[in-house]
PDB file of all heavy atoms in Angstrom:
ATOM      1  N   PHE B   1    -142.155  18.406   4.007  1.00 86.00           N
ATOM      2  CA  PHE B   1    -141.428  17.134   4.194  1.00 86.00           C
ATOM      3  C   PHE B   1    -142.065  16.257   5.308  1.00 86.00           C
ATOM      4  O   PHE B   1    -142.121  15.068   5.235  1.00 86.00           O
ATOM      5  CB  PHE B   1    -139.945  17.402   4.523  1.00 86.00           C
ATOM      6  CG  PHE B   1    -139.081  16.182   4.524  1.00 86.00           C
ATOM      7  CD1 PHE B   1    -138.594  15.627   3.354  1.00 86.00           C
ATOM      8  CD2 PHE B   1    -138.777  15.569   5.742  1.00 86.00           C
ATOM      9  CE1 PHE B   1    -137.811  14.519   3.414  1.00 86.00           C
ATOM     10  CE2 PHE B   1    -137.978  14.436   5.800  1.00 86.00           C
ATOM     11  CZ  PHE B   1    -137.465  13.946   4.631  1.00 86.00           C
ATOM     12  N   ASP B   2    -142.527  16.912   6.364  1.00 89.00           N
ATOM     13  CA  ASP B   2    -143.115  16.200   7.490  1.00 89.00           C
ATOM     14  C   ASP B   2    -144.397  15.480   7.085  1.00 89.00           C
ATOM     15  O   ASP B   2    -144.794  14.539   7.767  1.00 89.00           O
ATOM     16  CB  ASP B   2    -143.410  17.179   8.613  1.00 89.00           C
ATOM     17  CG  ASP B   2    -142.086  17.679   9.291  1.00 89.00           C
ATOM     18  OD1 ASP B   2    -141.108  16.928   9.255  1.00 89.00           O
ATOM     19  OD2 ASP B   2    -142.097  18.773   9.792  1.00 89.00           O
ATOM     20  N   GLU B   3    -145.058  15.968   6.029  1.00 90.00           N
ATOM     21  CA  GLU B   3    -146.333  15.375   5.641  1.00 90.00           C
ATOM     22  C   GLU B   3    -146.126  14.196   4.641  1.00 90.00           C
ATOM     23  O   GLU B   3    -147.098  13.519   4.290  1.00 90.00           O
ATOM     24  CB  GLU B   3    -147.203  16.398   4.958  1.00 90.00           C
ATOM     25  CG  GLU B   3    -147.704  17.520   5.886  1.00 90.00           C
ATOM     26  CD  GLU B   3    -148.483  18.562   5.167  1.00 90.00           C
ATOM     27  OE1 GLU B   3    -147.917  19.370   4.403  1.00 90.00           O
ATOM     28  OE2 GLU B   3    -149.741  18.545   5.361  1.00 90.00           O
ATOM     29  N   LEU B   4    -144.921  13.971   4.179  1.00 93.00           N
ATOM     30  CA  LEU B   4    -144.641  12.849   3.272  1.00 93.00           C
ATOM     31  C   LEU B   4    -144.729  11.575   4.013  1.00 93.00           C
ATOM     32  O   LEU B   4    -144.277  11.432   5.179  1.00 93.00           O
ATOM     33  CB  LEU B   4    -143.279  12.996   2.605  1.00 93.00           C
ATOM     34  CG  LEU B   4    -143.082  14.203   1.674  1.00 93.00           C
ATOM     35  CD1 LEU B   4    -141.642  14.249   1.215  1.00 93.00           C
ATOM     36  CD2 LEU B   4    -144.023  14.124   0.480  1.00 93.00           C
ATOM     37  N   PRO B   5    -145.370  10.521   3.417  1.00 94.00           N
ATOM     38  CA  PRO B   5    -145.418   9.252   4.069  1.00 94.00           C
ATOM     39  C   PRO B   5    -144.042   8.669   4.367  1.00 94.00           C
ATOM     40  O   PRO B   5    -143.215   8.621   3.460  1.00 94.00           O
ATOM     41  CB  PRO B   5    -146.214   8.393   3.081  1.00 94.00           C
ATOM     42  CG  PRO B   5    -146.855   9.321   2.142  1.00 94.00           C
ATOM     43  CD  PRO B   5    -145.962  10.487   2.092  1.00 94.00           C
ATOM     44  N   PRO B   6    -143.784   8.159   5.565  1.00 95.00           N
ATOM     45  CA  PRO B   6    -142.498   7.556   5.875  1.00 95.00           C
ATOM     46  C   PRO B   6    -142.176   6.392   4.917  1.00 95.00           C
ATOM     47  O   PRO B   6    -141.015   6.210   4.570  1.00 95.00           O
ATOM     48  CB  PRO B   6    -142.654   7.056   7.309  1.00 95.00           C
ATOM     49  CG  PRO B   6    -143.711   7.941   7.875  1.00 95.00           C
ATOM     50  CD  PRO B   6    -144.686   8.239   6.763  1.00 95.00           C
ATOM     51  N   ASN B   7    -143.184   5.658   4.488  1.00 95.00           N
ATOM     52  CA  ASN B   7    -142.968   4.513   3.607  1.00 95.00           C
ATOM     53  C   ASN B   7    -142.367   5.019   2.252  1.00 95.00           C
ATOM     54  O   ASN B   7    -141.514   4.325   1.669  1.00 95.00           O
ATOM     55  CB  ASN B   7    -144.267   3.735   3.321  1.00 95.00           C
ATOM     56  CG  ASN B   7    -144.578   2.810   4.483  1.00 95.00           C
ATOM     57  OD1 ASN B   7    -143.702   2.349   5.207  1.00 95.00           O
ATOM     58  ND2 ASN B   7    -145.863   2.494   4.651  1.00 95.00           N
ATOM     59  N   LEU B   8    -142.780   6.177   1.761  1.00 96.00           N
ATOM     60  CA  LEU B   8    -142.304   6.697   0.554  1.00 96.00           C
ATOM     61  C   LEU B   8    -140.800   7.086   0.681  1.00 96.00           C
ATOM     62  O   LEU B   8    -140.002   6.772  -0.116  1.00 96.00           O
ATOM     63  CB  LEU B   8    -143.119   7.897   0.088  1.00 96.00           C
ATOM     64  CG  LEU B   8    -142.654   8.602  -1.148  1.00 96.00           C
ATOM     65  CD1 LEU B   8    -142.649   7.662  -2.349  1.00 96.00           C
ATOM     66  CD2 LEU B   8    -143.486   9.850  -1.426  1.00 96.00           C
ATOM     67  N   ILE B   9    -140.506   7.830   1.777  1.00 95.00           N
ATOM     68  CA  ILE B   9    -139.130   8.239   2.023  1.00 95.00           C
ATOM     69  C   ILE B   9    -138.264   7.036   2.142  1.00 95.00           C
ATOM     70  O   ILE B   9    -137.148   6.965   1.565  1.00 95.00           O
ATOM     71  CB  ILE B   9    -139.094   9.091   3.267  1.00 95.00           C
ATOM     72  CG1 ILE B   9    -139.905  10.385   3.068  1.00 95.00           C
ATOM     73  CG2 ILE B   9    -137.640   9.461   3.623  1.00 95.00           C
ATOM     74  CD1 ILE B   9    -140.000  11.226   4.345  1.00 95.00           C
ATOM     75  N   ASN B  10    -138.640   6.052   2.926  1.00 95.00           N
ATOM     76  CA  ASN B  10    -137.832   4.883   3.138  1.00 95.00           C
ATOM     77  C   ASN B  10    -137.650   4.082   1.858  1.00 95.00           C
ATOM     78  O   ASN B  10    -136.592   3.528   1.567  1.00 95.00           O
ATOM     79  CB  ASN B  10    -138.433   3.958   4.195  1.00 95.00           C
ATOM     80  CG  ASN B  10    -138.453   4.610   5.587  1.00 95.00           C
ATOM     81  OD1 ASN B  10    -137.642   5.561   5.825  1.00 95.00           O
ATOM     82  ND2 ASN B  10    -139.311   4.240   6.470  1.00 95.00           N
ATOM     83  N   ALA B  11    -138.687   4.004   1.056  1.00 96.00           N
ATOM     84  CA  ALA B  11    -138.638   3.319  -0.243  1.00 96.00           C
ATOM     85  C   ALA B  11    -137.631   3.936  -1.156  1.00 96.00           C
ATOM     86  O   ALA B  11    -136.854   3.246  -1.804  1.00 96.00           O
ATOM     87  CB  ALA B  11    -139.987   3.227  -0.908  1.00 96.00           C
ATOM     88  N   VAL B  12    -137.636   5.239  -1.224  1.00 96.00           N
ATOM     89  CA  VAL B  12    -136.677   6.002  -2.096  1.00 96.00           C
ATOM     90  C   VAL B  12    -135.244   5.779  -1.641  1.00 96.00           C
ATOM     91  O   VAL B  12    -134.359   5.438  -2.425  1.00 96.00           O
ATOM     92  CB  VAL B  12    -136.992   7.480  -2.143  1.00 96.00           C
ATOM     93  CG1 VAL B  12    -135.906   8.244  -2.884  1.00 96.00           C
ATOM     94  CG2 VAL B  12    -138.356   7.687  -2.793  1.00 96.00           C
ATOM     95  N   VAL B  13    -134.993   5.940  -0.336  1.00 95.00           N
ATOM     96  CA  VAL B  13    -133.649   5.746   0.204  1.00 95.00           C
ATOM     97  C   VAL B  13    -133.196   4.301   0.001  1.00 95.00           C
ATOM     98  O   VAL B  13    -132.058   4.055  -0.390  1.00 95.00           O
ATOM     99  CB  VAL B  13    -133.610   6.163   1.666  1.00 95.00           C
ATOM    100  CG1 VAL B  13    -132.256   5.832   2.280  1.00 95.00           C
ATOM    101  CG2 VAL B  13    -133.910   7.645   1.860  1.00 95.00           C
ATOM    102  N   ALA B  14    -134.047   3.305   0.311  1.00 94.00           N
ATOM    103  CA  ALA B  14    -133.643   1.917   0.180  1.00 94.00           C
ATOM    104  C   ALA B  14    -133.324   1.539  -1.268  1.00 94.00           C
ATOM    105  O   ALA B  14    -132.506   0.650  -1.503  1.00 94.00           O
ATOM    106  CB  ALA B  14    -134.802   1.035   0.686  1.00 94.00           C
ATOM    107  N   THR B  15    -133.939   2.228  -2.236  1.00 93.00           N
ATOM    108  CA  THR B  15    -133.748   1.875  -3.615  1.00 93.00           C
ATOM    109  C   THR B  15    -132.714   2.678  -4.320  1.00 93.00           C
ATOM    110  O   THR B  15    -131.933   2.174  -5.146  1.00 93.00           O
ATOM    111  CB  THR B  15    -135.102   1.980  -4.386  1.00 93.00           C
ATOM    112  OG1 THR B  15    -136.076   1.174  -3.692  1.00 93.00           O
ATOM    113  CG2 THR B  15    -134.979   1.536  -5.828  1.00 93.00           C
ATOM    114  N   GLU B  16    -132.707   4.003  -4.052  1.00 92.00           N
ATOM    115  CA  GLU B  16    -131.818   4.896  -4.729  1.00 92.00           C
ATOM    116  C   GLU B  16    -130.437   5.156  -4.139  1.00 92.00           C
ATOM    117  O   GLU B  16    -129.464   5.359  -4.773  1.00 92.00           O
ATOM    118  CB  GLU B  16    -132.502   6.264  -4.927  1.00 92.00           C
ATOM    119  CG  GLU B  16    -133.706   6.214  -5.862  1.00 92.00           C
ATOM    120  CD  GLU B  16    -133.325   5.850  -7.263  1.00 92.00           C
ATOM    121  OE1 GLU B  16    -132.416   6.438  -7.814  1.00 92.00           O
ATOM    122  OE2 GLU B  16    -133.980   4.932  -7.806  1.00 92.00           O
ATOM    123  N   ASP B  17    -130.385   5.083  -2.775  1.00 92.00           N
ATOM    124  CA  ASP B  17    -129.163   5.425  -2.091  1.00 92.00           C
ATOM    125  C   ASP B  17    -129.163   4.968  -0.644  1.00 92.00           C
ATOM    126  O   ASP B  17    -129.462   5.730   0.287  1.00 92.00           O
ATOM    127  CB  ASP B  17    -128.988   7.013  -2.164  1.00 92.00           C
ATOM    128  CG  ASP B  17    -127.584   7.391  -1.672  1.00 92.00           C
ATOM    129  OD1 ASP B  17    -126.751   6.554  -1.243  1.00 92.00           O
ATOM    130  OD2 ASP B  17    -127.286   8.637  -1.729  1.00 92.00           O
ATOM    131  N   ARG B  18    -128.827   3.695  -0.443  1.00 91.00           N
ATOM    132  CA  ARG B  18    -128.936   3.099   0.861  1.00 91.00           C
ATOM    133  C   ARG B  18    -128.085   3.728   1.931  1.00 91.00           C
ATOM    134  O   ARG B  18    -128.334   3.709   3.132  1.00 91.00           O
ATOM    135  CB  ARG B  18    -128.633   1.623   0.833  1.00 91.00           C
ATOM    136  CG  ARG B  18    -129.666   0.857  -0.021  1.00 91.00           C
ATOM    137  CD  ARG B  18    -129.430  -0.645   0.047  1.00 91.00           C
ATOM    138  NE  ARG B  18    -130.371  -1.329  -0.794  1.00 91.00           N
ATOM    139  CZ  ARG B  18    -130.501  -2.666  -0.889  1.00 91.00           C
ATOM    140  NH1 ARG B  18    -129.694  -3.440  -0.153  1.00 91.00           N
ATOM    141  NH2 ARG B  18    -131.387  -3.258  -1.671  1.00 91.00           N
ATOM    142  N   ARG B  19    -126.931   4.275   1.509  1.00 90.00           N
ATOM    143  CA  ARG B  19    -126.010   4.948   2.453  1.00 90.00           C
ATOM    144  C   ARG B  19    -126.148   6.462   2.454  1.00 90.00           C
ATOM    145  O   ARG B  19    -125.235   7.197   2.806  1.00 90.00           O
ATOM    146  CB  ARG B  19    -124.561   4.550   2.118  1.00 90.00           C
ATOM    147  CG  ARG B  19    -124.156   3.225   2.691  1.00 90.00           C
ATOM    148  CD  ARG B  19    -122.755   2.832   2.163  1.00 90.00           C
ATOM    149  NE  ARG B  19    -122.805   2.438   0.825  1.00 90.00           N
ATOM    150  CZ  ARG B  19    -123.085   1.185   0.412  1.00 90.00           C
ATOM    151  NH1 ARG B  19    -123.422   0.258   1.243  1.00 90.00           N
ATOM    152  NH2 ARG B  19    -123.078   0.894  -0.870  1.00 90.00           N
ATOM    153  N   PHE B  20    -127.373   6.956   2.043  1.00 92.00           N
ATOM    154  CA  PHE B  20    -127.566   8.393   1.950  1.00 92.00           C
ATOM    155  C   PHE B  20    -127.282   9.115   3.269  1.00 92.00           C
ATOM    156  O   PHE B  20    -126.629  10.152   3.274  1.00 92.00           O
ATOM    157  CB  PHE B  20    -128.983   8.633   1.540  1.00 92.00           C
ATOM    158  CG  PHE B  20    -129.396  10.102   1.607  1.00 92.00           C
ATOM    159  CD1 PHE B  20    -128.885  10.987   0.698  1.00 92.00           C
ATOM    160  CD2 PHE B  20    -130.277  10.568   2.604  1.00 92.00           C
ATOM    161  CE1 PHE B  20    -129.226  12.380   0.722  1.00 92.00           C
ATOM    162  CE2 PHE B  20    -130.613  11.935   2.655  1.00 92.00           C
ATOM    163  CZ  PHE B  20    -130.075  12.771   1.700  1.00 92.00           C
ATOM    164  N   PHE B  21    -127.666   8.558   4.371  1.00 91.00           N
ATOM    165  CA  PHE B  21    -127.432   9.214   5.671  1.00 91.00           C
ATOM    166  C   PHE B  21    -126.009   9.012   6.244  1.00 91.00           C
ATOM    167  O   PHE B  21    -125.720   9.484   7.348  1.00 91.00           O
ATOM    168  CB  PHE B  21    -128.473   8.755   6.670  1.00 91.00           C
ATOM    169  CG  PHE B  21    -129.854   9.224   6.317  1.00 91.00           C
ATOM    170  CD1 PHE B  21    -130.795   8.285   5.803  1.00 91.00           C
ATOM    171  CD2 PHE B  21    -130.291  10.517   6.556  1.00 91.00           C
ATOM    172  CE1 PHE B  21    -132.099   8.724   5.442  1.00 91.00           C
ATOM    173  CE2 PHE B  21    -131.530  10.953   6.201  1.00 91.00           C
ATOM    174  CZ  PHE B  21    -132.484  10.030   5.686  1.00 91.00           C
ATOM    175  N   GLU B  22    -125.191   8.317   5.482  1.00 90.00           N
ATOM    176  CA  GLU B  22    -123.824   8.018   5.954  1.00 90.00           C
ATOM    177  C   GLU B  22    -122.733   8.704   5.135  1.00 90.00           C
ATOM    178  O   GLU B  22    -121.680   9.078   5.674  1.00 90.00           O
ATOM    179  CB  GLU B  22    -123.591   6.529   5.949  1.00 90.00           C
ATOM    180  CG  GLU B  22    -124.603   5.755   6.788  1.00 90.00           C
ATOM    181  CD  GLU B  22    -124.537   4.249   6.532  1.00 90.00           C
ATOM    182  OE1 GLU B  22    -123.616   3.792   5.853  1.00 90.00           O
ATOM    183  OE2 GLU B  22    -125.480   3.528   7.012  1.00 90.00           O
ATOM    184  N   HIS B  23    -122.925   8.831   3.817  1.00 90.00           N
ATOM    185  CA  HIS B  23    -121.853   9.350   2.969  1.00 90.00           C
ATOM    186  C   HIS B  23    -121.821  10.866   2.955  1.00 90.00           C
ATOM    187  O   HIS B  23    -122.692  11.554   3.554  1.00 90.00           O
ATOM    188  CB  HIS B  23    -121.946   8.803   1.567  1.00 90.00           C
ATOM    189  CG  HIS B  23    -123.240   9.155   0.822  1.00 90.00           C
ATOM    190  ND1 HIS B  23    -123.569  10.420   0.544  1.00 90.00           N
ATOM    191  CD2 HIS B  23    -124.196   8.383   0.328  1.00 90.00           C
ATOM    192  CE1 HIS B  23    -124.693  10.463  -0.150  1.00 90.00           C
ATOM    193  NE2 HIS B  23    -125.084   9.213  -0.258  1.00 90.00           N
ATOM    194  N   PHE B  24    -120.757  11.416   2.287  1.00 86.00           N
ATOM    195  CA  PHE B  24    -120.547  12.889   2.318  1.00 86.00           C
ATOM    196  C   PHE B  24    -121.031  13.546   1.027  1.00 86.00           C
ATOM    197  O   PHE B  24    -120.639  14.684   0.726  1.00 86.00           O
ATOM    198  CB  PHE B  24    -119.051  13.158   2.517  1.00 86.00           C
ATOM    199  CG  PHE B  24    -118.157  12.479   1.551  1.00 86.00           C
ATOM    200  CD1 PHE B  24    -117.847  13.107   0.295  1.00 86.00           C
ATOM    201  CD2 PHE B  24    -117.671  11.220   1.792  1.00 86.00           C
ATOM    202  CE1 PHE B  24    -117.054  12.431  -0.620  1.00 86.00           C
ATOM    203  CE2 PHE B  24    -116.840  10.560   0.852  1.00 86.00           C
ATOM    204  CZ  PHE B  24    -116.548  11.189  -0.342  1.00 86.00           C
ATOM    205  N   GLY B  25    -121.864  12.859   0.300  1.00 86.00           N
ATOM    206  CA  GLY B  25    -122.375  13.431  -0.960  1.00 86.00           C
ATOM    207  C   GLY B  25    -122.073  12.467  -2.146  1.00 86.00           C
ATOM    208  O   GLY B  25    -122.798  12.383  -3.104  1.00 86.00           O
ATOM    209  N   VAL B  26    -120.955  11.736  -2.069  1.00 87.00           N
ATOM    210  CA  VAL B  26    -120.592  10.763  -3.040  1.00 87.00           C
ATOM    211  C   VAL B  26    -120.419   9.420  -2.350  1.00 87.00           C
ATOM    212  O   VAL B  26    -119.672   9.288  -1.439  1.00 87.00           O
ATOM    213  CB  VAL B  26    -119.199  11.154  -3.747  1.00 87.00           C
ATOM    214  CG1 VAL B  26    -118.835  10.044  -4.751  1.00 87.00           C
ATOM    215  CG2 VAL B  26    -119.378  12.497  -4.426  1.00 87.00           C
ATOM    216  N   ASP B  27    -121.206   8.432  -2.787  1.00 85.00           N
ATOM    217  CA  ASP B  27    -121.129   7.113  -2.169  1.00 85.00           C
ATOM    218  C   ASP B  27    -120.018   6.329  -2.861  1.00 85.00           C
ATOM    219  O   ASP B  27    -120.202   5.724  -3.890  1.00 85.00           O
ATOM    220  CB  ASP B  27    -122.468   6.406  -2.378  1.00 85.00           C
ATOM    221  CG  ASP B  27    -122.514   5.043  -1.641  1.00 85.00           C
ATOM    222  OD1 ASP B  27    -121.503   4.711  -1.000  1.00 85.00           O
ATOM    223  OD2 ASP B  27    -123.540   4.341  -1.804  1.00 85.00           O
ATOM    224  N   VAL B  28    -118.815   6.337  -2.238  1.00 83.00           N
ATOM    225  CA  VAL B  28    -117.657   5.721  -2.851  1.00 83.00           C
ATOM    226  C   VAL B  28    -117.855   4.199  -2.996  1.00 83.00           C
ATOM    227  O   VAL B  28    -117.574   3.598  -4.055  1.00 83.00           O
ATOM    228  CB  VAL B  28    -116.359   6.018  -1.997  1.00 83.00           C
ATOM    229  CG1 VAL B  28    -115.181   5.275  -2.630  1.00 83.00           C
ATOM    230  CG2 VAL B  28    -116.151   7.511  -1.955  1.00 83.00           C
ATOM    231  N   ILE B  29    -118.392   3.625  -1.938  1.00 80.00           N
ATOM    232  CA  ILE B  29    -118.635   2.148  -1.964  1.00 80.00           C
ATOM    233  C   ILE B  29    -119.668   1.777  -3.052  1.00 80.00           C
ATOM    234  O   ILE B  29    -119.463   0.842  -3.845  1.00 80.00           O
ATOM    235  CB  ILE B  29    -119.113   1.645  -0.592  1.00 80.00           C
ATOM    236  CG1 ILE B  29    -118.039   1.937   0.427  1.00 80.00           C
ATOM    237  CG2 ILE B  29    -119.484   0.169  -0.652  1.00 80.00           C
ATOM    238  CD1 ILE B  29    -118.465   1.529   1.825  1.00 80.00           C
ATOM    239  N   GLY B  30    -120.749   2.572  -3.123  1.00 73.00           N
ATOM    240  CA  GLY B  30    -121.742   2.324  -4.101  1.00 73.00           C
ATOM    241  C   GLY B  30    -121.216   2.486  -5.537  1.00 73.00           C
ATOM    242  O   GLY B  30    -121.621   1.757  -6.414  1.00 73.00           O
ATOM    243  N   THR B  31    -120.404   3.522  -5.692  1.00 73.00           N
ATOM    244  CA  THR B  31    -119.835   3.804  -7.043  1.00 73.00           C
ATOM    245  C   THR B  31    -118.921   2.679  -7.483  1.00 73.00           C
ATOM    246  O   THR B  31    -118.985   2.200  -8.646  1.00 73.00           O
ATOM    247  CB  THR B  31    -119.075   5.107  -7.010  1.00 73.00           C
ATOM    248  OG1 THR B  31    -119.958   6.189  -6.629  1.00 73.00           O
ATOM    249  CG2 THR B  31    -118.457   5.397  -8.393  1.00 73.00           C
TER     250      THR B  31
END
């Protein structure tokens, strides 16, 4: 995981699940 480019990780989070680091597994607001 440490070798993955930060841009790739950020791109995935920004596109797939922006509140990934905030929710408890289910993004109620996003749903």
